[in-house]
Amino acid sequence: METELRNAIRKLLEEKTVDVAIGYGRVGVGGAVGAVFVTSPDEVDQLVWNNECRQNLAVHLTRPEIKALGKIAIVVKACDARAVVVLANESQIKREEIVVVGVVCEGVVKARFDGSNGEQFFEKCASCVEHAPKNVDVLIGDEAKAAELDAKNAPTAATSGNQAKLAKLRAMTSEERFQYWRGEFSRCVRCYACRQSCPLCYCNRCVADKNRPTRIETSASMKGVFAWNLLRAFHLAGRCVSCGSCAAACPAGIELDLLNLTLVNAAKEHFNYVAGEPGVPPLIGTYSLDDEEDFIR
Amino acid sequence: MAKIGVFTCWCGENIARHVDVEAVSEAISKLPGVACSMNYKYMCSEPGQSLISEKIKELGLTGVVVASCSPHMHLKTFRKTVELAGVNPYMVEMANIREQCSWVHSDKAVATAKAIELIGIAVAKVRRNAALQPIKVPVTKRAMVIGAGVAGIQAALDLAAGGVEVILVEREPSVGGKMAGLSETFPTLDCSQCILTPRMVEVGQHPNIKLMTYSEVEKVDGYVGNFKVTVRKKARYVDIAKCTGCGTCWNACPKKNKIPNSFDYNLGNRGAIYIPFPQAVPARPTIDADNCLRLQSMKKGKELCGICMKNCGSQAINFHDQDELVEFDVGAIVVATGYKLYSIGKEQENPNIKGYGEYGYGKYKDVIDSLQFERIISASGPTGGEPKRPSDGMTPKTVVFIQCTGSRDNAKGITYCSKICCMYTAKHTMLFKHKVHDGAAHVFYMDIRSGGKMYDEFVRRAIEQDGALYHRGRVSKIEEIKVDGVKKYRCYGADTLAGEPCVVDADLVVLACAMVPSDGVTKLAQKLSVGYNEYGFLSESHPKLRPVETNAAGVFVCGACQGPKDIPETVAQASAAAGKALIMLSQPYLTREPEIATVDEKLCAACGACVQTCPFKAITIEEIRDRKGNFIKNTSRVNPGLCMGCGTCVSVCPSKSVDLIGFTDDQVYAELESLLA
Ligand SMILES: Cc1cc2nc3c(=O)[nH]c(=O)nc-3n(C[C@H](O)[C@H](O)[C@H](O)COP(=O)(O)OP(=O)(O)OC[C@H]3O[C@@H](n4cnc5c(N)ncnc54)[C@H](O)[C@@H]3O)c2cc1C
Ligand code: SF4
Ligand code: SF4
Ligand code: SF4
Ligand code: SF4
């Protein structure tokens, strides 16, 4: 698969279809997998594909310095592919100007704190039913295998992985749940790693950085961490694609993806809405004369 | 340094009764930036306004707070005052200490404390106000009138007489509305057709009026002075330019007299190709596609009938006609979509309204509504003006009229009075008695509401001269019975004045049903961004002071679409709306309030959240390019002509890159902080 991927990217670069390819390479300390930006066909051997490719590379699509390199190809997993769709829906990228190279993913493993690889797969992977990315231009990997994995996970998708964890939280009383999040948020240092790693947190100036007037408390006090984390969750309602980057990036190990999953589930349950479908209007905030709700017109 | 003047009004006793204005002035004078704090009996009066301008001049005030009534009432007044005194009109804020304070509190101490807080908020805001300039927008000197009942006809004629081009849009094949189907009209009993048809002809011929019949408004874009309206001209299958209205076609149609005519409220029949009534304007036929043999057969790939086409000497019939979308640029829009009668006993569109199953409407053929009765006694109606009942054509001797069917009935869900039923019921009894001299006209009523010039006299005439029998009470049930082999309708009523039940066996029952807005008016209102009440009657901007304006700038209302009313009132309102529209269209340019949204284009992430939510489609995503044309970034941008300043975009913007001028974050937070301080 890795060879197949390298060949595909080489071809794109050779034929000048793209100027830069964003993919995975062993660029971190001790050979940890991170993003590489390949601009010449000779460099494609830097590219790797394995279960350590946990980052969502779509975060780079909106960065001006990457855009400045020219036409982009990007390597995505299925969850990442959805983020690309949301970015296109929200006019952050012109989809037709980007070549999306999807890779069939069989799950990615968590990193240990020292940067080495754990054996443990991400919870999101346990309930994944979309192993082959959708809405891509090139698909690398075995689709039949992907379908097999989808089928295997399907029966337990709603009850395994993060959903299982969330179910535990939902079973608590609201007071217990509040105390749980209080404990989690109390570790937040307002480093904004979650924001930096999320492909959908692309604002030029985050409202958390707004002053005159300050919209939300900026300190890492209890008030500040609640305000920040809830605000971020709400800004991702109907948009979060459950890629898990935020939780993976958080140095305090806060399970941010559970917070977002609550809203992902609500969107599905109440509006039958799944983020990352092409051309679909946003869930929150659309004005339409045909709105089902009368009061809103 | 800010120098704020605060002027607290007593509003006579309205405010002063519950708010200690002296204590308020005293407390407010201590707030930072407040240079003077005074109170006066009527701030809006001449001496009140003079007080403000004197203080502005004397102290060099930079901002003014008037603590009085709602800004809806007098913001404009006070803006003028300060402007005349040389201060930018947007440096005024109002603190509403009447509607939101003195009127809702009875404890003087509480109300006084609240008034101080409310004024404190306004002071905090005005300190951050900026001088603003109104926005100027160009005007298209053309108007559209939607609905061509008597209201729309009058408005169109007045606008046209004022030299403005008018597009008159009517969804039926002919203009005229309900009035074209009425018999004679109260309070003078002149024939409805005789007074209306000349005006119908006039709108058809006026060089300034473009008639668009059998057409509906599809889409409204743009803004005051610059609307772009798309009108759907429905397929009529007759080219009205070629047609001479000779009538060969409708006389030859094999379906002639076989299809219920909605103009006669289904009491008479017409053909598949038809004119709704002989005096129709334009006097050109329309093909009813659902009932036309040819058009129906074409769906199955065949070509049946076509007799009308074969007989038409002008080749005016085209079975391949299609709906057409026509765009018009207009500066002002007058809505005159009128009313319909509420459907008694039938399924209601509005879930909050119930019908009258107990009256048997729809089940008993001789229980009819008031508009049907108008057709039965109208010389142009299906019976040629002979009062004949629908079931068997018998001349009714005893007629029962039931007023307030639906209206003023909380249990049925319509709380309002339809206003005209007392009058037309009196008229009905007279017209009936004039035709059936030995007949009996019984009226069941709740109250007789006949305010108006010559109105009460009219009702008295019905009772005293024509012998109408009025019973104060309601009918609880109607039952079909047979008396000597003749069908009768037993009405179980009550006469509350006599204090006894009152049962009448009627040959015909006429229900004076509540007036409700025309079908589809709420959809239209949404397209126009005009408000409407729970029943769908369109909302005027102010019930007393701006009765024909709406809250959508450049859109006016008149006639029964705004609320139940009779012809004199409808016509007066139509002329008023036309007058207001003419005033607007006569300006070289329009000014608009500058309180609109503005995007910080450097910060905007161009996520499009605001674009999706703006109810006025006022925001678009645009590209920013440098002078050489290189792309820099996307941003959203507000069209100042379209933005209504609702602030929806501000609330959805995740990065708060958009702000509302006059209600900036800075101002709103200052207001909140003043409350928390
Ligand atoms: C039984 C009865 C008797 C009456 N008798 C009298 C009387 O004797 N004297 C008196 O003064 N008043 C009388 N009235 C009241 C009178 O009918 C109304 O005051 C008058 O017709 C109101 O005129 P209008 O133009 O507002 O509405 P309408 O006459 O209803 O006209 C509205 C027009 O708009 C059109 N329209 C509606 N929606 C649209 C749309 N979306 N797009 C385009 N066109 C649209 C309709 O087809 C119609 O042609 C009577 C009413 C009733 C019910
Ligand atoms: S919020 Fe977290 S899980 Fe959701 S899209 Fe952003 S990084 Fe991925
Ligand atoms: S990454 Fe974690 S610690 Fe950092 S701001 Fe986000 S939640 Fe807080
Ligand atoms: S304030 Fe914003 S949402 Fe409202 S009309 Fe203006 S641009 Fe649209
Ligand atoms: S919502 Fe805010 S960030 Fe998004 S496009 Fe509008 S102004 Fe820009």
Side-chain angles (χ1 to χ4, degrees), chain B residues 12-220:
Chain B
E13 282 213 328
N14 269 306
I15 292 171
R17 192 184 303 131
H18 292 309
V19 172
D20 182 343
V21 287
E22 276 307 332
V24 166
S25 292
E26 171 65 25
I28 295 298
S29 68
K30 303 204 175 87
L31 292 181
V34 172
C36 77
S37 174
M38 353 234 337
N39 58 74
Y40 181 69
K41 204 160 189 174
Y42 293 106
M43 226 26 120
C44 56
S45 68
E46 208 281 325
Q49 293 193 44
S50 302
L51 179 69
I52 298 176
S53 40
E54 273 162 28
K55 285 291 161 193
I56 289 177
K57 286 174 192 152
E58 183 190 323
L59 301 171
L61 298 180
T62 56
V64 166
V65 171
V66 183
S68 56
C69 47
S70 154
H72 271 298
M73 190 80 194
H74 275 315
L75 183 57
K76 284 217 166 89
T77 315
F78 293 118
R79 279 189 174 162
K80 253 263 108 64
T81 315
V82 304
E83 190 175 17
L84 289 174
V87 171
N88 183 283
Y90 297 92
M91 298 305 293
V92 177
E93 286 298 326
M94 283 181 79
N96 181 349
I97 57 166
R98 194 179 75 170
E99 287 86 336
Q100 293 178 356
C101 188
S102 70
W103 278 359
V104 290
H105 295 290
S106 48
D107 183 328
K108 197 159 184 170
V110 171
T112 304
K114 178 165 163 185
I116 293 169
E117 288 197 329
L118 289 172
I119 300 169
I121 293 173
V123 171
K125 182 176 181 202
V126 82
R127 290 176 57 188
R128 285 162 181 81
N129 277 19
L132 303 176
Q133 299 306 326
I135 300 166
K136 287 182 181 178
V137 287
V139 204
T140 309
K141 293 206 187 315
R142 192 178 297 119
M144 177 171 285
V145 177
I146 307 172
V150 62
I153 290 174
Q154 181 68 35
L157 287 173
D158 285 350
L159 282 160
V164 165
E165 246 180 83
V166 184
I167 321 292
L168 179 55
V169 182
E170 167 58 54
R171 71 174 165 202
E172 296 297 325
S174 168
V175 303
K178 305 295 176 305
M179 189 176 164
L182 298 184
S183 52
E184 287 156 24
T185 52
F186 66 78
T188 45
L189 288 192
D190 38 3
C191 138
S192 188
Q193 293 256 343
C194 316
I195 54 179
L196 184 66
T197 46
R199 301 205 156 193
M200 291 166 55
V201 173
E202 211 184 319
V203 287
Q205 292 173 344
H206 203 294
N208 280 353
I209 300 179
K210 182 172 172 55
L211 251 192
M212 295 285 293
T213 49
Y214 213 45
S215 300
E216 275 183 76
V217 169
E218 179 88 5
K219 193 164 119 218
V220 182

Side-chain angles (χ1 to χ4, degrees), chain A residues 218-234:
Chain A
T218 45
S219 73
S221 65
M222 211 31 139
K223 200 163 120 197
V225 292
F226 260 91
W228 160 244
N229 284 289
L230 293 184
L231 175 106
R232 206 182 90 85
F234 278 117

Side-chain angles (χ1 to χ4, degrees), chain B residues 150-151 170 177-178 185-186 337-339 374 427 560 565-568:
Chain B
V150 62
E170 167 58 54
K178 305 295 176 305
T185 52
F186 66 78
T337 49
Y339 71 102
E374 290 282 342
K427 172 184 81 173
K565 54 181 65 68
D566 59 15
I567 298 165

Side-chain angles (χ1 to χ4, degrees), chain B residues 45 80 232 240 318 331 339 373 382 429 458 501 578 585 626:
Chain B
S45 68
K80 253 263 108 64
R232 176 179 293 273
I240 62 171
N318 168 16
Y339 71 102
F373 188 72
T429 66
F458 183 80
L585 297 179
D626 66 13

Side-chain angles (χ1 to χ4, degrees), chain A residues 188-194 228-229 250-252 254 256:
Chain A
C188 173
V189 292
R190 300 293 287 270
C191 67
Y192 298 134
C194 48
W228 160 244
N229 284 289
C250 177
I254 302 173
L256 296 164

Side-chain angles (χ1 to χ4, degrees), chain A residues 24-92:
Chain A
Y24 298 98
R26 292 204 174 275
V27 287
V29 188
V33 173
V36 289
F37 304 89
V38 181
T39 49
S40 127
D42 313 334
E43 297 169 1
V44 294
D45 288 338
Q46 289 183 28
L47 292 169
V48 299
W49 171 253
N50 53 45
N51 64 12
E52 295 159 42
C53 298
R54 50 184 87 85
Q55 265 190 36
N56 184 344
L57 300 177
V59 70
H60 299 289
L61 284 177
T62 50
R63 303 280 190 257
E65 60 277 20
I66 308 291
K67 282 187 167 176
L69 295 175
K71 273 202 82 176
I72 305 175
I74 182 166
V75 178
V76 295
K77 307 184 288 296
C79 35
D80 312 341
R82 287 190 168 265
V84 175
V85 172
V86 177
L87 289 176
N89 286 351
E90 295 179 356
S91 82
Q92 298 305 305

